[in-house]
Amino acid sequence: MKTVLVILVCLLVVVIVLLFVLGVMSRSGKLPGMQDGALLPCPNTPNCVCSEYADDSRHFIEPIDLSGNDVSESLGMLKALIREMGGSVQSEQADYLAATFSSALFGFVDDLELRADPSAGLIHVRSASRVGRGDQGVNRKRVETLKAMFMSRAAGQVDQSE
């Protein structure tokens, strides 16, 4: 019985050390960025969502509909919402915004990227974990929360301007 307990404690220690190492690895990574003017496709892991590639049903998520809102104002609003949600904006360009989110326990870093497509009236989004395979749906939930907050705030601005 004592041997089993020692083995279980050793396994637990190994798992915790591994999680800390993965957390450190994710913090040393970098933002994916864009390729040929588009967000990168998701890797073949379940810890990523992206609106650029509708044919990738496993990772697809609907983009943010601008519904006639100004692109730069919308990106500014999204930047503020990302900060409200605990994210940190890392890169900002006229039609692109990149941010990171870190988990509380082990410091795992997830990347969130937004690319404005004014001609389509959309903001494409990609959210992905830097390490590991699973994310318990965190990236999809984060994007859905951001979209809901944006739609609510954008609707409030329209009501105030009328």
Side-chain angles (χ1 to χ4, degrees):
M1 184 66 166
K2 218 177 195 183
T3 306
V4 171
L5 185 60
V6 168
I7 291 172
L8 287 175
V9 168
C10 288
L11 285 173
L12 181 62
V13 169
V14 167
V15 167
I16 290 172
V17 168
L18 178 64
L19 289 172
F20 274 113
V21 168
L22 286 173
V24 170
M25 286 173 53
S26 76
R27 288 189 294 275
S28 65
K30 62 179 185 149
L31 291 162
M34 294 194 301
Q35 182 177 17
D36 298 326
L39 300 174
L40 293 176
C42 287
N44 195 21
T45 57
N47 58 358
C48 177
V49 294
C50 184
S51 66
E52 288 268 14
Y53 308 95
D55 57 328
D56 182 2
S57 61
R58 181 176 178 199
H59 299 106
F60 182 74
I61 192 162
E62 290 291 330
I64 298 170
D65 185 354
L66 289 175
S67 296
N69 292 311
D70 180 72
V71 171
S72 62
E73 287 179 18
S74 295
L75 285 173
M77 186 187 311
L78 286 162
K79 181 177 161 182
L81 291 172
I82 287 167
R83 288 187 175 134
E84 284 179 33
M85 293 172 62
S88 174
V89 175
Q90 302 295 315
S91 177
E92 186 177 359
Q93 298 167 12
D95 64 345
Y96 175 79
L97 187 65
T100 57
F101 286 83
S102 297
S103 67
L105 187 55
F106 294 107
F108 291 109
V109 176
D110 292 343
D111 295 309
L112 174 73
E113 297 176 285
L114 305 171
R115 182 187 70 81
D117 183 353
S119 62
L122 301 172
I123 294 181
H124 285 287
V125 61
R126 181 184 191 274
S127 186
S129 302
R130 286 187 179 174
V131 297
R133 290 191 52 81
D135 68 347
Q136 306 302 311
V138 168
N139 285 293
R140 185 170 294 279
K141 288 175 197 164
R142 178 181 298 121
V143 171
E144 293 296 351
T145 299
L146 179 64
K147 286 175 16 180
M149 290 172 70
F150 173 78
M151 297 310 285
S152 174
R153 187 103 18 119
Q157 280 190 342
V158 169
D159 290 343
Q160 291 174 3
S161 66
E162 291 178 349

